[in-house]
């Protein structure tokens, strides 16, 4: 404080009292006049202030070309380098996947070392271990969902559908009653013992089977096979809808792209698989005739009555037909086609 008193003051001297309004006006900075705005094409292109030109006779004028500041033509814009899409097919044995990948400009990678994880998508015939799935980045995809066996194996599927039916009986009444003998043998034995008639027919399917292999029709499911724990048992539907007097089923193709945010797309076309032989109600004499009761193509193609369609334009011929034929047939039989497909979608 003493040093401050010793030094001469650098503050301006107080102004004498006078007109306060004049002093306040003198403190406002004076505005400098602006230069007139350029109306040249270059300035308008640079500042974006050009007004749109009016249309003549309802026709809009063509846009003006871009110009640089000095009037020279602008440099061409660099094209963004397209990133390559890599599909790893090391664990896939189907050539069709490689053909489709080439059509969609994928770079096919057949490196045996999957551990590099440099692909955008990996296509495999089986599910990868969870340890490898956990390493996938957000931009990488795999053609199987984890734990898909809960839907693809018949035993797990039967258990899952059974739980859903018990929780939502009205919504899950579209399939016959099913038992997985590995975990529901006692429940089925109780149900079987309570049947008033032993003439009821059941169909047994291997848990991991395909193409109709190992499927049997029987009236004694508990004693029909030795390895019953590997089978599922269903009540056989003895009064199915028939086409030309033959049993049939539908192969509907569905694409599920996400289960976290459930996204399901149903393809508009598919297969109608028709049995080779005319349907008959199950009896002791025809239970072993698979071409009457099973619609699998792998089973019926060996029958002498199976008809192969050689004309793709005619979908009403043969034992494999498409949904165009099905829709026409349903309509001709007086069925509600839209309601039919709405029920399948639901």
């Amino acid at each position: 404080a003493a040093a401050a008193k010793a030094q001469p003051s650098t503050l301006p001297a107080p102004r004498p009292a006078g007109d306060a309004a004049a002093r306040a006006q003198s403190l406002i900075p004076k505005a400098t006049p602006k230069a007139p705005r350029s109306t040249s094409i270059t300035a308008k292109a640079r500042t974006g202030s050009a007004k749109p030109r009016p249309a003549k006779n309802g026709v809009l004028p063509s846009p003006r070309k871009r110009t640089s500041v000095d009037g020279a033509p602008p440099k061409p814009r660099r094209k963004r380098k397209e990133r390559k899409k890599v599909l790893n097919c090391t664990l896939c044995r189907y050539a069709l996947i490689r053909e489709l990948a080439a059509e969609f400009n994928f770079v096919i990678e057949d490196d045996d070392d999957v551990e590099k994880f440099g692909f955008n998508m990996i296509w495999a015939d089986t599910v990868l271990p969870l340890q490898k799935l956990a390493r996938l980045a957000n931009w990488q995809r795999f053609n199987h969902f984890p734990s898909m066996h809960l839907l693809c194996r018949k035993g797990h599927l039967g258990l899952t559908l059974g739980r859903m039916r018990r929780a939502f009986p009205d919504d899950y009444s579209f399939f016959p009653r099913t038992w997985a003998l590995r975990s529901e043998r006692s429940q089925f034995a109780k149900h079987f013992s309570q049947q008033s008639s032993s003439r009821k027919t059941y169909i047994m399917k291997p848990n991991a089977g395909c193409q109709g292999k190992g499927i049997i029709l029987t009236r004694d499911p508990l004693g029909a096979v030795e390895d019953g724990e590997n089978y599922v048992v269903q009540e056989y539907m003895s009064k199915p809808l028939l086409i030309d007097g033959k049993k049939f089923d539908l192969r509907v193709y569905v694409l599920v792209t996400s289960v976290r945010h459930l996204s399901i797309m149903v393809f508009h076309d598919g297969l109608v698989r028709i049995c080779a032989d005319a349907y008959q109600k199950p009896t002791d004499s025809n239970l072993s005739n698979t071409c009457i009761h099973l619609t699998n193509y792998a089973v019926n193609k060996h029958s002498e009555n199976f008809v192969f369609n050689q004309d793709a334009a005619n979908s009403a011929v043969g034992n494999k037909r498409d949904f165009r034929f099905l829709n026409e047939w349903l309509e001709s039989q007086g069925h509600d086609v839209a309601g039919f497909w709405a029920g399948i979608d639901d």
Side-chain angles (χ1 to χ4, degrees):
K5 291 181 180 179
Q7 294 179 0
S9 176
T10 58
L11 297 175
R15 293 188 180 186
D19 187 2
R23 291 201 309 273
Q25 189 67 25
S26 65
L27 296 176
I28 300 176
K30 296 181 180 181
T32 57
K34 292 184 178 180
R37 298 180 69 180
S38 173
T39 57
S40 64
I41 296 178
T42 302
K44 291 180 180 179
R46 184 175 64 251
T47 61
S49 60
K51 295 181 179 180
R53 290 175 290 171
K56 293 182 179 180
N57 298 326
V59 180
L60 294 174
S62 59
R64 294 189 176 98
K65 295 182 178 180
R66 294 188 304 111
T67 57
S68 60
V69 176
D70 55 359
K75 295 181 180 180
R77 294 179 179 177
R78 292 183 179 180
K79 292 184 178 180
R80 181 179 296 179
K81 187 177 180 181
E82 184 177 356
R83 296 180 179 179
K84 64 179 182 179
K85 301 174 293 185
V86 180
L87 176 67
N88 188 295
C89 295
T90 305
L91 304 177
C92 178
R93 67 180 184 273
Y94 297 104
L96 178 62
I97 300 300
R98 292 171 173 82
E99 295 176 7
L100 292 174
E103 289 185 14
F104 287 94
N105 299 323
F106 274 89
V107 176
I108 302 174
E109 180 182 78
D110 281 315
D111 191 354
D112 292 335
D113 187 10
V114 185
E115 300 295 333
K116 293 181 180 179
F117 277 80
F119 49 80
N120 298 87
M121 177 183 292
I122 180 170
W123 198 283
D125 298 338
T126 57
V127 180
L128 289 178
L130 290 177
Q131 294 83 354
K132 291 186 178 181
L133 289 176
R135 292 181 54 190
L136 293 178
N138 290 336
W139 49 273
Q140 292 177 311
R141 294 292 182 269
F142 179 48
N143 65 309
H144 291 281
F145 290 110
S147 302
M148 277 298 293
H149 65 278
L150 297 177
L151 295 179
C152 297
R153 294 296 178 94
K154 298 179 180 66
H156 291 292
L157 177 61
L159 291 173
T160 303
L161 289 175
R163 294 191 189 101
M164 298 302 291
R165 170 177 278 179
R166 288 189 291 272
F168 308 100
D170 294 336
D171 296 321
Y172 283 83
S173 60
F174 57 85
F175 64 96
R177 294 187 64 180
T178 306
W179 297 266
L181 292 184
R182 177 172 303 224
S183 57
E184 297 180 320
R185 185 181 183 89
S186 59
Q187 292 92 320
F188 174 72
K190 181 179 179 181
H191 163 81
F192 187 69
S193 63
Q194 294 174 349
Q195 298 301 308
S196 58
S197 173
S198 60
R199 310 305 297 169
K200 191 170 185 178
T201 305
Y202 296 87
I203 183 169
M204 299 184 66
K205 304 176 183 179
N207 181 36
C210 62
Q211 298 180 342
K213 299 175 183 177
I215 299 179
I216 60 173
L217 271 69
T218 180
R219 292 192 168 122
D220 181 19
L222 295 176
V225 294
E226 294 181 358
D227 57 339
E229 290 188 353
N230 295 322
Y231 276 76
V232 297
V233 179
Q234 285 184 306
E235 294 177 336
Y236 186 71
M237 300 177 63
S238 59
K239 297 180 180 180
L241 183 65
L242 304 177
I243 292 180
D244 298 337
K246 299 176 182 179
K247 190 177 176 180
F248 71 97
D249 73 356
L250 304 180
R251 178 64 63 89
V252 182
Y253 294 93
V254 179
L255 174 63
V256 181
T257 58
S258 175
V259 292
R260 178 179 299 176
H261 306 287
L262 190 58
S263 175
I264 303 175
M265 287 166 277
V266 181
F267 190 49
H268 67 275
D269 203 356
L271 294 178
V272 183
R273 305 188 305 179
I274 306 175
C275 285
D277 297 339
Y279 178 73
Q280 301 174 14
K281 288 187 177 182
T283 61
D284 293 336
S285 60
N286 66 26
L287 287 180
S288 59
N289 190 338
T290 54
C291 293
I292 291 178
H293 302 289
L294 303 184
T295 57
N296 303 75
Y297 168 72
V299 172
N300 287 273
K301 69 179 181 179
H302 300 293
S303 172
E304 60 181 10
N305 297 323
F306 189 88
V307 178
F308 293 88
N309 188 349
Q310 305 295 337
D311 184 7
N314 187 0
S315 61
V317 175
N319 291 83
K320 289 178 71 175
R321 307 182 187 182
D322 59 15
F323 287 173
R324 181 182 59 179
F325 156 79
L326 177 67
N327 293 337
E328 294 175 355
W329 182 85
L330 288 172
E331 187 175 3
S332 67
Q333 299 296 314
H335 298 288
D336 181 9
V337 178
F340 172 80
W341 287 110
I344 291 181
D345 292 342
D346 185 60

